Amino acid sequence: GLGLWVGHRLTPRPAGPVFERNEAAVRSLGLTARECELLELLASGQSNKELARSLGISPNTVKTHLASLYAKMEVQKRVQAIEKARFLAIIP
């Protein structure tokens, strides 16, 4: 039994499918690279201050980017933006 458990734990597992961003959706929405980066961080549940620290920008700049992102994606809230981005395969 121990041998089976050790073998199972030490045997490399095949990697899952690699996420490929839907570049056509990104282009059709007119998203910039920074907006895509912000969208990925947004999905991690960070606050505006945390997003600003992660990106090295001010919280006001984060708000500006988010307003632009929401307008381009035609959403009003973070959750809606994340759901739509996942649906369109813009973020994993």
Side-chain angles (χ1 to χ4, degrees):
L2 180 62
L4 290 174
W5 180 81
V6 169
H8 179 71
R9 298 292 268 168
L10 296 178
T11 303
R13 290 174 180 69
V18 176
F19 175 76
E20 290 188 34
R21 175 175 282 141
N22 182 352
E23 294 298 333
V26 171
R27 281 191 304 275
S28 71
L29 291 172
L31 300 180
T32 64
R34 184 61 121 183
E35 289 168 339
C36 289
E37 185 179 4
L38 182 65
L39 197 50
E40 287 180 22
L41 292 173
L42 195 64
S44 69
Q46 296 181 23
S47 68
N48 284 357
K49 280 186 178 182
E50 291 170 328
L51 292 170
R53 269 189 237 118
S54 296
L55 296 171
I57 58 179
S58 77
N60 287 335
T61 305
V62 169
K63 290 177 188 178
T64 302
H65 283 309
L66 287 176
S68 173
L69 184 65
Y70 294 167
K72 288 179 181 180
M73 295 185 75
E74 299 177 351
V75 297
Q76 285 78 39
K77 298 179 182 181
R78 286 175 185 247
V79 174
Q80 293 172 334
I82 294 166
E83 287 175 352
K84 189 168 185 176
R86 286 192 173 138
F87 177 75
L88 295 173
I90 295 172
I91 59 173

Coordinates of all heavy atoms in Angstrom, one line a residue:
G1 N 0.8 -1.2 0.0 CA 0.0 0.0 0.0 C 0.9 1.3 0.0 O 0.6 2.2 -0.7
L2 N 2.0 1.2 0.8 CA 2.8 2.4 0.9 C 3.5 2.6 -0.4 O 3.7 3.8 -0.9 CB 3.9 2.2 2.0 CG 4.9 3.3 2.2 CD1 4.1 4.6 2.6 CD2 5.9 2.9 3.2
G3 N 3.9 1.6 -1.1 CA 4.6 1.7 -2.4 C 3.7 2.3 -3.4 O 4.1 3.2 -4.2
L4 N 2.4 2.0 -3.4 CA 1.4 2.6 -4.4 C 1.3 4.1 -4.1 O 1.3 4.9 -5.0 CB 0.1 1.9 -4.3 CG 0.0 0.5 -4.8 CD1 -1.3 -0.2 -4.5 CD2 0.3 0.5 -6.3
W5 N 1.2 4.4 -2.8 CA 1.0 5.8 -2.4 C 2.2 6.6 -2.8 O 2.1 7.7 -3.4 CB 0.8 5.9 -0.9 CG 0.6 7.3 -0.5 CD1 -0.5 8.1 -0.5 CD2 1.6 8.2 0.1 NE1 -0.3 9.3 0.0 CE2 1.0 9.4 0.4 CE3 2.9 8.0 0.5 CZ2 1.7 10.5 0.9 CZ3 3.6 9.1 1.0 CH2 3.0 10.3 1.3
V6 N 3.4 6.1 -2.5 CA 4.6 6.8 -2.9 C 4.8 7.0 -4.4 O 5.1 8.0 -4.9 CB 5.9 6.1 -2.3 CG1 7.2 6.7 -2.9 CG2 5.9 6.2 -0.8
G7 N 4.5 5.9 -5.1 CA 4.5 5.9 -6.6 C 3.6 6.9 -7.1 O 3.9 7.7 -8.1
H8 N 2.4 7.0 -6.6 CA 1.4 8.0 -7.0 C 1.8 9.4 -6.8 O 1.6 10.3 -7.6 CB 0.0 7.7 -6.3 CG -1.0 8.6 -6.7 ND1 -1.6 8.7 -8.0 CD2 -1.6 9.6 -6.0 CE1 -2.5 9.6 -8.0 NE2 -2.6 10.2 -6.9
R9 N 2.4 9.6 -5.6 CA 2.9 11.0 -5.2 C 4.1 11.4 -6.0 O 4.3 12.6 -6.3 CB 3.2 11.1 -3.7 CG 2.1 10.8 -2.8 CD 1.1 11.8 -2.9 NE 1.4 12.8 -1.9 CZ 0.8 14.0 -1.8 NH1 -0.1 14.3 -2.7 NH2 1.1 14.9 -0.9
L10 N 4.9 10.5 -6.4 CA 6.2 10.9 -7.1 C 6.1 10.8 -8.6 O 6.9 11.4 -9.3 CB 7.3 9.9 -6.7 CG 7.7 10.0 -5.2 CD1 8.8 9.0 -4.9 CD2 8.2 11.4 -4.8
T11 N 5.0 10.2 -9.1 CA 4.8 10.2 -10.6 C 4.4 11.5 -11.1 O 3.4 12.1 -10.6 CB 3.8 9.1 -11.0 OG1 4.2 7.8 -10.4 CG2 3.6 9.0 -12.5
P12 N 5.1 12.1 -12.1 CA 4.7 13.4 -12.6 C 3.3 13.3 -13.3 O 3.0 12.3 -14.0 CB 5.8 13.7 -13.6 CG 6.5 12.5 -13.8 CD 6.3 11.5 -12.7
R13 N 2.5 14.3 -13.0 CA 1.2 14.3 -13.6 C 1.3 15.1 -14.9 O 2.0 16.1 -15.0 CB 0.2 15.0 -12.7 CG -0.1 14.1 -11.5 CD -1.0 14.9 -10.5 NE -1.3 14.1 -9.3 CZ -0.4 13.8 -8.3 NH1 0.8 14.1 -8.4 NH2 -0.8 13.1 -7.3
P14 N 0.5 14.7 -15.9 CA 0.5 15.5 -17.1 C -0.1 16.9 -16.8 O -1.0 17.1 -16.1 CB -0.4 14.7 -18.1 CG -1.3 13.9 -17.2 CD -0.4 13.6 -16.0
A15 N 0.6 17.9 -17.4 CA 0.1 19.3 -17.2 C -1.2 19.5 -17.9 O -1.5 18.9 -18.9 CB 1.2 20.2 -17.9
G16 N -2.0 20.3 -17.2 CA -3.3 20.6 -17.7 C -3.2 21.5 -19.0 O -2.1 21.9 -19.4
P17 N -4.3 21.7 -19.6 CA -4.2 22.5 -20.9 C -3.7 24.0 -20.5 O -4.1 24.5 -19.5 CB -5.6 22.6 -21.4 CG -6.5 22.2 -20.2 CD -5.6 21.4 -19.3
V18 N -2.8 24.5 -21.4 CA -2.3 25.8 -21.2 C -3.3 26.8 -21.6 O -3.9 26.7 -22.7 CB -0.9 25.9 -22.0 CG1 -0.4 27.3 -21.8 CG2 0.1 24.9 -21.5
F19 N -3.5 27.8 -20.8 CA -4.5 28.9 -21.1 C -3.9 29.7 -22.3 O -2.8 30.2 -22.3 CB -4.8 29.8 -19.9 CG -5.7 30.9 -20.3 CD1 -7.0 30.7 -20.4 CD2 -5.1 32.2 -20.4 CE1 -7.9 31.8 -20.7 CE2 -6.0 33.3 -20.8 CZ -7.3 33.1 -20.9
E20 N -4.8 29.9 -23.3 CA -4.4 30.8 -24.4 C -5.5 31.9 -24.5 O -6.7 31.7 -24.6 CB -4.4 30.0 -25.7 CG -3.3 29.0 -25.8 CD -3.2 28.4 -27.2 OE1 -3.5 29.1 -28.2 OE2 -2.8 27.2 -27.3
R21 N -5.0 33.1 -24.3 CA -5.9 34.3 -24.3 C -6.5 34.5 -25.7 O -5.9 34.3 -26.7 CB -5.0 35.6 -24.0 CG -5.9 36.8 -24.1 CD -5.1 38.0 -23.7 NE -5.1 38.0 -22.2 CZ -4.1 38.3 -21.4 NH1 -3.0 38.7 -21.9 NH2 -4.2 38.3 -20.1
N22 N -7.8 34.8 -25.7 CA -8.5 35.0 -26.9 C -8.1 36.4 -27.4 O -8.8 37.4 -27.1 CB -10.0 34.9 -26.6 CG -10.9 35.1 -27.9 OD1 -10.4 35.5 -28.9 ND2 -12.2 34.9 -27.7
E23 N -7.1 36.5 -28.2 CA -6.6 37.8 -28.7 C -7.6 38.5 -29.6 O -7.7 39.7 -29.7 CB -5.3 37.6 -29.5 CG -4.1 37.2 -28.6 CD -3.8 38.1 -27.5 OE1 -4.0 39.4 -27.7 OE2 -3.2 37.7 -26.5
A24 N -8.5 37.7 -30.3 CA -9.5 38.4 -31.1 C -10.5 39.2 -30.3 O -10.9 40.3 -30.6 CB -10.3 37.3 -31.9
A25 N -10.8 38.6 -29.1 CA -11.8 39.3 -28.2 C -11.1 40.6 -27.6 O -11.7 41.6 -27.5 CB -12.2 38.4 -27.1
V26 N -9.8 40.4 -27.3 CA -9.0 41.6 -26.8 C -9.0 42.7 -27.8 O -9.3 43.9 -27.5 CB -7.6 41.2 -26.4 CG1 -6.8 42.4 -26.1 CG2 -7.6 40.2 -25.2
R27 N -8.7 42.4 -29.1 CA -8.7 43.3 -30.2 C -10.1 44.0 -30.4 O -10.2 45.2 -30.6 CB -8.2 42.7 -31.4 CG -6.7 42.6 -31.5 CD -6.2 42.3 -32.9 NE -6.8 41.1 -33.4 CZ -6.4 39.8 -33.2 NH1 -5.3 39.6 -32.4 NH2 -7.0 38.8 -33.7
S28 N -11.1 43.1 -30.4 CA -12.5 43.6 -30.7 C -13.0 44.6 -29.6 O -13.7 45.5 -29.9 CB -13.5 42.5 -30.9 OG -13.7 41.8 -29.7
L29 N -12.5 44.3 -28.4 CA -12.9 45.2 -27.3 C -12.0 46.5 -27.2 O -12.3 47.4 -26.5 CB -12.9 44.5 -25.9 CG -13.9 43.4 -25.7 CD1 -13.6 42.7 -24.4 CD2 -15.3 44.0 -25.7
G30 N -10.9 46.4 -27.9 CA -9.9 47.5 -27.9 C -9.2 47.6 -26.5 O -8.8 48.7 -26.1
L31 N -8.9 46.5 -25.9 CA -8.2 46.5 -24.6 C -6.7 46.7 -24.8 O -6.1 46.1 -25.7 CB -8.4 45.2 -23.8 CG -9.9 44.9 -23.5 CD1 -10.0 43.5 -22.7 CD2 -10.5 46.0 -22.6
T32 N -6.1 47.5 -24.0 CA -4.6 47.7 -24.0 C -4.0 46.6 -23.2 O -4.7 45.9 -22.4 CB -4.3 49.0 -23.4 OG1 -4.6 49.1 -22.0 CG2 -4.9 50.2 -24.2
A33 N -2.7 46.4 -23.3 CA -1.9 45.5 -22.5 C -2.1 45.7 -21.1 O -2.2 44.8 -20.2 CB -0.5 45.5 -23.0
R34 N -2.1 47.0 -20.7 CA -2.2 47.4 -19.3 C -3.6 47.0 -18.7 O -3.7 46.6 -17.6 CB -1.9 48.9 -19.1 CG -1.9 49.3 -17.7 CD -0.9 48.6 -16.8 NE 0.0 49.6 -16.3 CZ 1.1 49.3 -15.6 NH1 1.4 48.1 -15.3 NH2 1.9 50.2 -15.1
E35 N -4.6 47.2 -19.5 CA -5.9 46.9 -19.1 C -6.1 45.3 -19.0 O -6.7 44.9 -18.0 CB -7.0 47.4 -20.1 CG -7.1 48.9 -20.0 CD -7.9 49.5 -21.2 OE1 -8.0 48.8 -22.2 OE2 -8.4 50.6 -21.0
C36 N -5.4 44.6 -19.8 CA -5.5 43.1 -19.7 C -4.7 42.7 -18.4 O -5.2 41.8 -17.7 CB -4.8 42.5 -20.9 SG -5.8 42.6 -22.4
E37 N -3.6 43.3 -18.1 CA -2.9 43.1 -16.9 C -3.7 43.4 -15.7 O -3.8 42.6 -14.7 CB -1.6 43.9 -16.9 CG -0.6 43.6 -15.8 CD 0.6 44.4 -15.9 OE1 0.8 45.3 -16.8 OE2 1.5 44.2 -15.0
L38 N -4.4 44.5 -15.7 CA -5.2 45.0 -14.6 C -6.4 44.0 -14.4 O -6.8 43.6 -13.3 CB -5.8 46.4 -14.9 CG -6.6 47.0 -13.8 CD1 -5.9 47.2 -12.5 CD2 -7.2 48.3 -14.3
L39 N -6.9 43.5 -15.5 CA -8.1 42.6 -15.5 C -7.6 41.3 -14.8 O -8.4 40.7 -14.0 CB -8.6 42.3 -16.9 CG -9.9 41.7 -17.1 CD1 -11.0 42.4 -16.3 CD2 -10.3 41.7 -18.6
E40 N -6.4 40.8 -15.1 CA -5.9 39.6 -14.5 C -5.8 39.8 -13.0 O -6.2 38.9 -12.2 CB -4.6 39.1 -15.1 CG -4.7 38.5 -16.5 CD -3.4 38.1 -17.1 OE1 -2.5 37.9 -16.3 OE2 -3.3 38.0 -18.3
L41 N -5.2 40.9 -12.6 CA -5.0 41.2 -11.1 C -6.4 41.4 -10.5 O -6.6 41.1 -9.3 CB -4.1 42.4 -11.0 CG -2.7 42.2 -11.3 CD1 -1.9 43.6 -11.3 CD2 -2.0 41.2 -10.5
L42 N -7.3 42.0 -11.2 CA -8.7 42.2 -10.6 C -9.3 40.9 -10.2 O -10.0 40.8 -9.2 CB -9.5 42.9 -11.7 CG -10.8 43.6 -11.3 CD1 -10.5 44.7 -10.3 CD2 -11.5 44.1 -12.5
A43 N -9.1 39.9 -11.0 CA -9.7 38.6 -10.8 C -9.1 37.9 -9.5 O -9.7 37.0 -9.0 CB -9.5 37.7 -12.0
S44 N -7.9 38.4 -9.1 CA -7.3 37.8 -7.9 C -7.9 38.4 -6.6 O -7.6 38.0 -5.5 CB -5.8 38.1 -7.9 OG -5.5 39.4 -7.7
G45 N -8.9 39.4 -6.7 CA -9.6 39.9 -5.6 C -8.9 41.0 -4.8 O -9.2 41.3 -3.7
Q46 N -7.9 41.7 -5.5 CA -7.2 42.7 -4.8 C -8.0 44.0 -4.8 O -8.8 44.3 -5.7 CB -5.8 43.0 -5.5 CG -4.9 41.8 -5.5 CD -3.6 42.1 -6.2 OE1 -3.2 43.3 -6.3 NE2 -2.9 41.1 -6.6
S47 N -7.7 44.8 -3.8 CA -8.3 46.2 -3.7 C -7.6 47.1 -4.6 O -6.6 46.8 -5.2 CB -8.2 46.7 -2.3 OG -6.9 47.0 -2.0
N48 N -8.2 48.3 -4.8 CA -7.6 49.3 -5.7 C -6.2 49.6 -5.2 O -5.2 49.8 -6.0 CB -8.4 50.6 -5.8 CG -9.6 50.4 -6.7 OD1 -9.8 49.3 -7.3 ND2 -10.4 51.4 -6.8
K49 N -6.0 49.8 -3.9 CA -4.7 50.1 -3.4 C -3.7 49.0 -3.7 O -2.5 49.2 -4.0 CB -4.7 50.3 -1.9 CG -5.2 51.7 -1.5 CD -5.1 51.9 0.0 CE -5.5 53.3 0.4 NZ -5.4 53.5 1.9
E50 N -4.1 47.7 -3.5 CA -3.2 46.6 -3.8 C -2.9 46.5 -5.3 O -1.8 46.2 -5.6 CB -3.9 45.3 -3.3 CG -4.0 45.2 -1.8 CD -4.9 44.1 -1.3 OE1 -5.9 43.7 -2.0 OE2 -4.6 43.5 -0.2
L51 N -3.9 46.8 -6.1 CA -3.7 46.8 -7.5 C -2.6 47.9 -7.9 O -1.7 47.6 -8.7 CB -5.0 47.1 -8.3 CG -6.0 46.0 -8.3 CD1 -7.3 46.5 -8.9 CD2 -5.6 44.8 -9.0
A52 N -2.8 49.0 -7.3 CA -1.8 50.1 -7.5 C -0.4 49.7 -7.1 O 0.5 50.0 -7.9 CB -2.3 51.4 -6.8
R53 N -0.3 49.1 -6.0 CA 1.1 48.6 -5.5 C 1.6 47.6 -6.5 O 2.8 47.6 -6.8 CB 1.0 48.1 -4.1 CG 1.2 49.1 -3.1 CD 1.4 48.5 -1.7 NE 0.4 49.1 -0.8 CZ -0.6 48.5 -0.2 NH1 -0.8 47.2 -0.3 NH2 -1.5 49.1 0.5
S54 N 0.8 46.7 -6.9 CA 1.2 45.6 -7.8 C 1.7 46.2 -9.2 O 2.7 45.6 -9.8 CB 0.1 44.6 -8.1 OG -0.2 43.9 -6.9
L55 N 1.0 47.2 -9.6 CA 1.4 47.8 -10.9 C 2.3 48.9 -10.9 O 2.8 49.4 -11.9 CB 0.1 48.2 -11.6 CG -0.9 47.1 -12.0 CD1 -2.2 47.7 -12.5 CD2 -0.3 46.2 -13.0
G56 N 2.6 49.4 -9.7 CA 3.5 50.6 -9.5 C 2.9 51.9 -10.0 O 3.6 52.7 -10.5
I57 N 1.6 52.0 -9.8 CA 0.9 53.3 -10.2 C 0.1 53.8 -9.0 O -0.1 53.1 -8.0 CB 0.0 53.0 -11.4 CG1 -1.0 51.9 -11.2 CG2 0.8 52.7 -12.7 CD1 -2.0 51.6 -12.3
S58 N -0.5 54.9 -9.1 CA -1.3 55.5 -8.1 C -2.7 54.9 -8.1 O -3.2 54.4 -9.1 CB -1.5 57.0 -8.2 OG -2.4 57.3 -9.2
P59 N -3.4 54.9 -6.9 CA -4.8 54.3 -6.9 C -5.7 55.1 -7.8 O -6.7 54.5 -8.4 CB -5.2 54.5 -5.4 CG -3.9 54.5 -4.7 CD -2.9 55.2 -5.6
N60 N -5.5 56.4 -8.0 CA -6.3 57.2 -8.9 C -6.1 56.7 -10.4 O -7.1 56.7 -11.1 CB -6.0 58.7 -8.8 CG -6.6 59.3 -7.5 OD1 -7.5 58.8 -7.0 ND2 -5.9 60.3 -7.1
T61 N -4.9 56.3 -10.7 CA -4.7 55.8 -12.1 C -5.4 54.4 -12.2 O -5.9 54.1 -13.3 CB -3.2 55.6 -12.3 OG1 -2.5 56.9 -12.1 CG2 -2.9 55.2 -13.7
V62 N -5.4 53.6 -11.2 CA -6.1 52.4 -11.2 C -7.6 52.6 -11.5 O -8.2 52.0 -12.3 CB -6.0 51.6 -9.9 CG1 -7.0 50.4 -9.8 CG2 -4.6 51.1 -9.7
K63 N -8.2 53.6 -10.8 CA -9.6 54.0 -11.0 C -9.8 54.4 -12.5 O -10.9 54.1 -13.0 CB -10.0 55.1 -10.0 CG -10.1 54.6 -8.6 CD -10.5 55.8 -7.7 CE -10.4 55.4 -6.2 NZ -10.7 56.5 -5.4
T64 N -8.9 55.2 -13.0 CA -9.0 55.6 -14.4 C -9.0 54.4 -15.4 O -9.8 54.3 -16.3 CB -7.9 56.6 -14.8 OG1 -8.0 57.7 -13.9 CG2 -8.0 57.1 -16.2
H65 N -8.1 53.5 -15.1 CA -8.0 52.3 -16.0 C -9.2 51.5 -15.8 O -9.7 50.9 -16.8 CB -6.8 51.5 -15.6 CG -5.4 52.0 -16.1 ND1 -5.2 52.3 -17.4 CD2 -4.3 52.2 -15.4 CE1 -4.0 52.7 -17.5 NE2 -3.4 52.7 -16.4
L66 N -9.7 51.3 -14.6 CA -10.9 50.5 -14.4 C -12.1 51.1 -15.1 O -12.9 50.4 -15.7 CB -11.2 50.4 -12.9 CG -10.3 49.4 -12.1 CD1 -10.6 49.4 -10.7 CD2 -10.4 48.0 -12.7
A67 N -12.3 52.5 -15.0 CA -13.4 53.1 -15.7 C -13.3 52.9 -17.2 O -14.4 52.6 -17.9 CB -13.4 54.6 -15.4
S68 N -12.1 53.0 -17.8 CA -12.0 52.7 -19.2 C -12.3 51.3 -19.5 O -12.9 51.0 -20.5 CB -10.5 53.0 -19.6 OG -10.3 52.7 -20.9
L69 N -11.8 50.3 -18.7 CA -12.0 48.9 -18.9 C -13.5 48.6 -18.8 O -14.0 47.9 -19.7 CB -11.3 48.1 -17.8 CG -11.3 46.6 -17.8 CD1 -10.6 46.1 -19.1 CD2 -10.6 46.1 -16.6
Y70 N -14.2 49.1 -17.8 CA -15.6 48.9 -17.7 C -16.4 49.4 -18.9 O -17.3 48.8 -19.4 CB -16.2 49.5 -16.4 CG -15.7 49.0 -15.1 CD1 -15.9 49.6 -13.9 CD2 -15.0 47.8 -15.0 CE1 -15.5 49.2 -12.7 CE2 -14.5 47.3 -13.8 CZ -14.8 48.0 -12.7 OH -14.3 47.5 -11.5
A71 N -16.0 50.6 -19.4 CA -16.7 51.2 -20.6 C -16.5 50.3 -21.8 O -17.4 50.0 -22.5 CB -16.2 52.6 -20.8
K72 N -15.3 49.8 -22.0 CA -15.0 49.0 -23.2 C -15.7 47.7 -23.1 O -16.1 47.1 -24.1 CB -13.5 48.8 -23.3 CG -12.7 50.0 -23.7 CD -11.2 49.8 -23.8 CE -10.4 51.0 -24.2 NZ -9.0 50.7 -24.3
M73 N -15.8 47.1 -21.9 CA -16.4 45.8 -21.7 C -18.0 45.9 -21.5 O -18.6 44.9 -21.5 CB -15.8 45.1 -20.6 CG -14.4 44.7 -20.8 SD -13.7 43.7 -19.5 CE -14.4 42.1 -19.8
E74 N -18.5 47.2 -21.4 CA -19.9 47.4 -21.2 C -20.4 46.7 -20.0 O -21.4 46.0 -20.0 CB -20.7 47.0 -22.5 CG -20.3 47.8 -23.7 CD -21.0 47.3 -25.0 OE1 -21.7 46.3 -24.9 OE2 -20.9 48.0 -26.0
V75 N -19.7 47.0 -18.9 CA -20.1 46.5 -17.6 C -20.0 47.6 -16.6 O -19.5 48.7 -16.8 CB -19.2 45.3 -17.1 CG1 -19.3 44.1 -18.0 CG2 -17.8 45.7 -17.0
Q76 N -20.6 47.4 -15.4 CA -20.6 48.4 -14.3 C -19.8 48.0 -13.1 O -19.5 48.9 -12.3 CB -22.1 48.7 -13.9 CG -22.9 49.5 -14.9 CD -23.4 48.7 -16.0 OE1 -23.8 47.6 -15.8 NE2 -23.4 49.2 -17.2
K77 N -19.6 46.7 -12.9 CA -18.9 46.3 -11.7 C -17.8 45.3 -11.9 O -17.7 44.7 -13.0 CB -20.0 45.6 -10.8 CG -21.1 46.5 -10.4 CD -22.1 45.7 -9.5 CE -23.2 46.6 -9.2 NZ -24.2 45.9 -8.3
R78 N -16.9 45.2 -10.9 CA -15.8 44.3 -11.0 C -16.2 42.8 -11.4 O -15.6 42.2 -12.2 CB -15.1 44.2 -9.7 CG -14.3 45.3 -9.3 CD -13.7 45.2 -7.9 NE -13.0 46.4 -7.5 CZ -11.7 46.5 -7.3 NH1 -11.0 45.4 -7.4 NH2 -11.2 47.6 -7.0
V79 N -17.2 42.4 -10.6 CA -17.6 41.0 -10.8 C -18.1 40.8 -12.3 O -17.8 39.7 -12.9 CB -18.7 40.6 -9.8 CG1 -19.3 39.2 -10.1 CG2 -18.2 40.7 -8.4
Q80 N -18.8 41.7 -12.8 CA -19.3 41.6 -14.2 C -18.1 41.6 -15.2 O -18.1 40.8 -16.1 CB -20.2 42.8 -14.5 CG -21.5 42.8 -13.8 CD -22.3 44.0 -14.0 OE1 -21.8 45.1 -14.3 NE2 -23.7 43.9 -13.8
A81 N -17.1 42.4 -14.9 CA -16.0 42.5 -15.8 C -15.2 41.1 -15.7 O -14.8 40.6 -16.8 CB -15.0 43.6 -15.4
I82 N -15.0 40.6 -14.6 CA -14.3 39.3 -14.4 C -15.1 38.2 -15.1 O -14.5 37.4 -15.8 CB -14.1 39.0 -12.9 CG1 -13.1 40.0 -12.3 CG2 -13.5 37.6 -12.8 CD1 -13.1 40.0 -10.8
E83 N -16.4 38.1 -14.9 CA -17.2 37.1 -15.5 C -17.2 37.2 -17.0 O -17.0 36.2 -17.7 CB -18.7 37.2 -15.0 CG -18.9 36.8 -13.6 CD -20.3 37.0 -13.1 OE1 -21.1 37.7 -13.9 OE2 -20.7 36.5 -12.0
K84 N -17.3 38.4 -17.5 CA -17.3 38.6 -19.0 C -15.9 38.2 -19.6 O -15.8 37.6 -20.6 CB -17.6 40.0 -19.4 CG -17.9 40.2 -20.8 CD -18.5 41.5 -21.2 CE -18.8 41.7 -22.6 NZ -19.5 42.9 -22.9
A85 N -14.8 38.6 -18.8 CA -13.5 38.3 -19.3 C -13.2 36.8 -19.3 O -12.6 36.3 -20.2 CB -12.5 39.0 -18.4
R86 N -13.7 36.1 -18.3 CA -13.6 34.6 -18.3 C -14.4 34.0 -19.4 O -14.0 33.0 -20.0 CB -14.0 34.1 -16.9 CG -12.9 34.4 -15.9 CD -13.1 33.6 -14.6 NE -11.9 33.9 -13.7 CZ -12.0 34.1 -12.5 NH1 -13.2 34.1 -11.8 NH2 -10.9 34.3 -11.8
F87 N -15.6 34.5 -19.6 CA -16.5 34.0 -20.7 C -15.8 34.1 -22.0 O -15.9 33.2 -22.9 CB -17.9 34.6 -20.6 CG -18.8 34.2 -21.7 CD1 -19.4 33.0 -21.7 CD2 -19.0 35.0 -22.8 CE1 -20.3 32.6 -22.7 CE2 -19.8 34.6 -23.8 CZ -20.5 33.4 -23.8
L88 N -15.2 35.3 -22.2 CA -14.5 35.6 -23.5 C -13.1 35.0 -23.6 O -12.4 35.2 -24.6 CB -14.5 37.1 -23.8 CG -15.8 37.8 -23.9 CD1 -15.7 39.3 -24.0 CD2 -16.5 37.3 -25.2
A89 N -12.7 34.3 -22.6 CA -11.3 33.7 -22.5 C -10.2 34.7 -22.6 O -9.2 34.5 -23.2 CB -11.2 32.6 -23.6
I90 N -10.5 35.9 -21.9 CA -9.4 36.9 -21.9 C -8.5 36.6 -20.7 O -7.3 36.9 -20.7 CB -10.1 38.3 -21.8 CG1 -10.8 38.6 -23.1 CG2 -9.0 39.4 -21.6 CD1 -11.7 39.8 -23.1
I91 N -9.1 36.1 -19.6 CA -8.3 35.7 -18.4 C -8.7 34.3 -18.1 O -9.8 33.8 -18.4 CB -8.6 36.6 -17.2 CG1 -10.1 36.6 -16.8 CG2 -8.1 38.0 -17.5 CD1 -10.4 37.4 -15.5
P92 N -7.8 33.6 -17.4 CA -8.1 32.1 -17.0 C -9.1 32.0 -15.9 O -9.3 32.9 -15.2 CB -6.7 31.6 -16.6 CG -5.8 32.8 -16.3 CD -6.4 33.9 -17.0

